[in-house]
């Protein structure tokens, strides 16, 4: 397990990798940034307390290296074709798609999502959080340079949202649920990307906040599987409440903050005449909300027993509890605050 100082170093290089990738003005520089980012994330994954992370880091390494190598190869090929031979074949409409595909593999959009659940299953919650938020920033930003509306992009978006909704059905592991939710939100971010206007950045920011909120509540109650939420003591009632309300917020239930980016994206898609796609995406989000609500209901009402031996206390977790409470109140009232602020301006 890396020591704290090593962690600080690696987190710094990880973030600088992202910054290099998003701010470079050549594809080679972008590739370099992605590589620095990957090489600092791999050692962060290691943990001596269990063995799953070795498998996870190996899987992650192989997939990401495949993606970077493909990206570099495509970029070099494009440059060579343009500079040396001025071949016409690279000028065809599929060049952006060819460069976008490895970036989609990197960010885990379906159908390139197969590595994602397996990798998440072997990571600690902190690393899961990094994988779902920071690690998606650079590929999405790079995609925003060349993505365009066509059949390829639309089918990626649709498969991502459908996979996210169907894949999460009947999952019992919290990590799996968060993974499929992440795949789904990648699809929504791609949809925000093709409507233009940096809308995806707003979506990404709110999504990251919500993911961190859910993760802090999950960490606080040390839950890895859904059945562990059914039996809890009275003290943990509050953490349970925070966990499920922020999960519903992540699922886009109207009064919560998570509905805001969803609303904006649907609005923009309708303005851009993508109503059929928006309809399908809304239907998939309905499937999601169905099973999120099912989980929340059963955990709150049906099986809420308190076993006698469940005497663990949360006394030494006060600071974590306070930060989780602040975050989940943002996720609960964020949208109302936004509308009040817009009304005042
Ligand atoms: C996918 O994202 C949409 C929009 O935020 C949301 O309504 C839906 O519940 C999400 N589905 C999953 C599986 O997270």
């Amino acid at each position: 397990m890396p020591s704290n100082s090593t962690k600080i170093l690696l987190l710094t290089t990880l973030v600088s990798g992202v910054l290099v990738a998003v701010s470079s003005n050549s594809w080679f520089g972008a590739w370099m940034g992605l590589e620095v980012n990957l090489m600092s994330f791999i050692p962060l994954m290691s943990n001596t307390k269990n063995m799953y992370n070795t498998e996870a880091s190996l899987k992650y390494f192989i997939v990401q290296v495949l993606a970077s190598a493909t990206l570099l190869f495509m970029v070099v090929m494009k440059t060579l074709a343009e500079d040396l031979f001025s071949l016409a074949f690279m000028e065809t409409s599929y060049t952006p798609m060819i460069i976008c595909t490895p970036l989609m593999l990197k960010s885990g959009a379906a159908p390139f999502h197969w590595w994602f659940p397996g990798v998440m299953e072997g990571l600690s919650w902190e690393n899961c959080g990094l994988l779902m938020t920071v690690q998606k920033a650079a590929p999405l930003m790079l995609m925003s340079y060349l993505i365009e509306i066509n059949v390829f992009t639309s089918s990626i978006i649709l498969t991502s949202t459908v996979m996210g909704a169907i894949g999460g059905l009947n999952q019992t592991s919290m990590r799996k649920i968060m993974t499929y939710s992440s795949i789904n939100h990648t699809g929504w971010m791609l949809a925000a990307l093709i409507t233009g206007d940096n809308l995806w950045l707003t979506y990404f920011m709110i999504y990251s906040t919500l993911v961190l909120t859910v993760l802090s509540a999950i960490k606080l109650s040390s839950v890895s599987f859904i059945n562990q939420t059914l039996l809890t003591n009275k003290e943990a009632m509050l953490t349970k409440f925070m966990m499920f309300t922020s999960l519903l917020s992540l699922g886009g239930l109207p009064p919560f903050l998570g509905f805001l980016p969803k609303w904006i994206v649907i609005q923009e898609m309708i303005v851009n005449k993508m109503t059929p796609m928006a309809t399908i995406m809304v239907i998939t989000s309905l499937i999601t909300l169905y099973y999120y609500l099912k989980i929340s209901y059963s955990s709150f009402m049906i099986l809420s027993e308190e076993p006698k031996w469940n005497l663990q206390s949360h006394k030494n977790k006060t600071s974590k509890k306070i930060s989780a409470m602040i975050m989940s109140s943002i996720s609960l009232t964020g949208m109302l605050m936004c509308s009040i602020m817009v009304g005042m301006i």
Side-chain angles (χ1 to χ4, degrees):
M1 213 151 130
S3 65
N4 277 345
S5 47
T6 319
K7 265 189 198 160
I8 292 176
L9 173 70
L10 290 175
L11 281 174
T12 316
T13 49
L14 182 121
V15 173
S16 22
V18 174
L19 293 182
V20 167
V22 301
S23 58
S24 78
N25 56 5
S26 72
W27 280 104
F28 188 70
W31 170 81
M32 228 159 56
L34 288 173
E35 213 68 352
V36 169
N37 169 266
L38 169 66
M39 293 308 156
S40 8
F41 192 51
I42 297 286
L44 265 181
M45 284 176 165
S46 74
N47 178 358
T48 39
K49 286 194 194 131
N50 73 38
M51 295 184 302
Y52 292 115
N53 56 73
T54 316
E55 189 189 327
S57 57
L58 201 61
K59 273 185 198 163
Y60 187 71
F61 178 74
I62 290 175
V63 168
Q64 298 291 311
V65 162
L66 177 72
S68 324
T70 320
L71 177 71
L72 186 63
F73 179 72
M74 292 308 171
V75 168
V76 168
M77 206 166 95
K78 178 181 182 303
T79 319
L80 281 182
E82 277 171 4
D83 288 2
L84 296 182
F85 312 111
S86 59
L87 286 183
F89 81 96
M90 283 309 276
E91 288 304 309
T92 48
S93 58
Y94 55 79
T95 314
M97 288 186 241
I98 283 180
I99 300 182
C100 267
T101 310
L103 294 172
M104 281 162 180
L105 180 61
K106 266 188 173 295
S107 60
F112 312 112
H113 66 285
W114 33 266
W115 56 275
F116 208 175
V119 169
M120 288 274 283
E121 204 62 22
L123 294 184
S124 66
W125 280 116
E126 289 86 1
N127 289 335
C128 288
L130 274 181
L131 193 57
M132 286 188 288
T133 57
V134 180
Q135 297 297 91
K136 290 203 192 238
L140 280 169
M141 184 55 114
L142 293 180
M143 267 191 261
S144 77
Y145 298 154
L146 32 81
I147 206 161
E148 47 196 43
I149 308 174
N150 52 28
V151 180
F152 175 71
T153 323
S154 313
S155 56
I156 296 277
I157 293 170
L158 286 181
T159 40
S160 297
T161 50
V162 171
M163 268 315 295
I166 306 290
L169 268 175
N170 282 339
Q171 291 292 352
T172 51
S173 150
M174 278 322 246
R175 285 191 174 79
K176 285 267 164 65
I177 288 184
M178 292 303 289
T179 312
Y180 283 105
S181 145
S182 181
I183 293 170
N184 159 65
H185 283 284
T186 311
W188 280 78
M189 276 186 261
L190 288 177
L193 216 61
I194 59 174
T195 57
D197 284 348
N198 281 344
L199 171 61
W200 75 274
L201 219 52
T202 315
Y203 196 111
F204 183 74
M205 236 100 92
I206 296 182
Y207 171 66
S208 307
T209 317
L210 292 178
V211 164
L212 295 184
T213 313
V214 177
L215 291 195
S216 65
I218 288 178
K219 276 248 359 153
L220 193 61
S221 44
S222 345
V223 163
S224 290
F225 294 94
I226 292 201
N227 58 358
Q228 294 167 345
T229 66
L230 299 183
L231 296 174
T232 42
N233 53 2
K234 289 223 174 57
E235 252 183 289
M237 210 47 210
L238 179 67
T239 43
K240 201 157 131 180
F241 178 78
M242 294 195 297
M243 189 160 81
F244 285 113
T245 45
S246 38
L247 196 70
L248 289 177
S249 178
L250 192 64
L253 197 67
F256 304 145
L257 180 60
F259 181 62
L260 187 61
K262 181 179 169 185
W263 184 7
I264 305 175
V265 169
I266 293 173
Q267 169 87 26
E268 281 295 309
M269 288 181 78
I270 291 174
V271 169
N272 284 291
K273 304 210 170 50
M274 291 186 269
T275 320
M277 199 155 92
T279 313
I280 299 178
M281 287 161 73
V282 168
I283 292 173
T284 61
S285 87
L286 214 59
I287 302 175
T288 313
L289 277 175
Y290 162 70
Y291 62 78
Y292 279 5
L293 279 174
K294 200 170 76 174
I295 298 167
S296 319
Y297 269 133
S298 52
S299 152
F300 275 125
M301 302 178 183
I302 301 170
L303 279 167
S304 193
E305 307 164 356
E306 188 184 352
K308 282 272 189 308
W309 61 84
N310 200 347
L311 295 171
Q312 95 196 62
S313 106
H314 289 273
K315 274 193 191 105
N316 50 359
K317 286 186 177 172
T318 319
S319 65
K320 272 188 189 172
K321 208 168 180 171
I322 289 175
S323 66
M325 269 162 71
I326 292 174
M327 301 245 281
S328 66
S329 49
I330 292 175
S331 125
L332 291 187
T333 57
M335 199 170 100
L336 302 182
M337 291 303 167
C338 282
S339 39
I340 290 172
M341 260 148 61
V342 169
M344 282 196 308
I345 292 167

